[in-house]
Amino acid sequence: EKAIDCYTRCLPHIPESDHNLHTIVFSNRAQCHIKLRKYESAFTDADEAIKWDPNHLKSIQRRGTAAYYTQRLRQARKDFMHSLSIEYSQQFVDYLNKVHASIEKIKVESQEKLKRQVLFNSGIDFHGSNAANPEMHPDELKRMGCEDFKRKA
């Protein structure tokens, strides 16, 4: 927290023309936020640092890290790939693999949810109840399907 305050207090005193110092201060403040698990603030500061220097490696990595922890997975992937194109780092290869795994998990979950929704909306029998009890009223079958859909969604 003290370091964040220090970086914040020094920002107004940095000449507008000193792009390098702006980059470093915002990037270092982003790292402080990451250490405190304040990922939104870290993302904002790293993003600001990148505006001053689009190829500042640590800022790109820090924004990628903050993006990962705030579920901005596309941005995280983009930043980690950019970072790796500048300099290889096993740590960021590992982060990139985590991002890809998270994206894949979300895709699978979304496809499953969409599948259940389509089946429910089309009146498909979720429980096989129609075969077990052909006299069951269609509204009762639909209610059962709705409850099953809500449980799974």
Side-chain angles (χ1 to χ4, degrees):
E1 290 288 335
K2 286 182 182 181
I4 291 171
D5 290 340
C6 239
Y7 288 124
T8 302
R9 283 195 318 268
C10 87
L11 276 169
H13 304 289
I14 302 172
E16 205 56 34
S17 60
D18 195 342
H19 291 245
N20 188 46
L21 192 53
H22 274 100
T23 301
I24 291 168
V25 170
F26 278 111
S27 187
N28 287 351
R29 193 169 72 171
Q31 181 61 23
C32 293
H33 288 301
I34 288 171
K35 291 285 185 189
L36 295 171
R37 296 182 178 173
K38 295 180 177 180
Y39 299 114
E40 279 297 330
S41 298
F43 184 90
T44 301
D45 278 353
D47 196 51
E48 189 63 31
I50 291 168
K51 288 176 186 172
W52 289 97
D53 181 355
N55 291 311
H56 188 254
L57 180 62
K58 287 183 178 180
S59 299
I60 295 164
Q61 292 170 335
R62 289 169 180 165
R63 184 175 69 181
T65 301
Y68 173 76
Y69 285 109
T70 56
Q71 295 300 300
R72 294 176 173 106
L73 298 176
R74 286 187 192 152
Q75 183 65 53
R77 179 176 55 195
K78 181 180 169 186
D79 286 338
F80 294 146
M81 290 177 75
H82 185 189
S83 159
L84 291 167
S85 75
I86 297 170
E87 181 180 294
Y88 178 83
S89 163
Q90 187 58 47
Q91 176 186 5
F92 290 98
V93 168
D94 294 343
Y95 264 123
L96 187 57
N97 288 334
K98 287 180 183 180
V99 167
H100 285 145
S102 294
I103 289 171
E104 191 58 35
K105 181 181 176 195
I106 289 169
K107 281 181 184 178
V108 168
E109 288 171 354
S110 297
Q111 289 169 346
E112 285 299 314
K113 186 174 181 176
L114 183 61
K115 182 179 168 184
R116 286 191 303 273
Q117 190 173 18
V118 167
L119 289 173
F120 172 74
N121 289 339
S122 66
I124 301 294
D125 182 11
F126 280 93
H127 301 285
S129 305
N130 233 357
N133 190 352
E135 290 92 34
M136 189 174 280
H137 192 273
D139 289 342
E140 182 63 18
L141 287 170
K142 190 171 184 175
R143 185 190 62 73
M144 287 174 62
C146 185
E147 288 171 1
D148 189 49
F149 174 73
K150 287 178 184 175
R151 245 190 342 274
K152 291 180 180 178

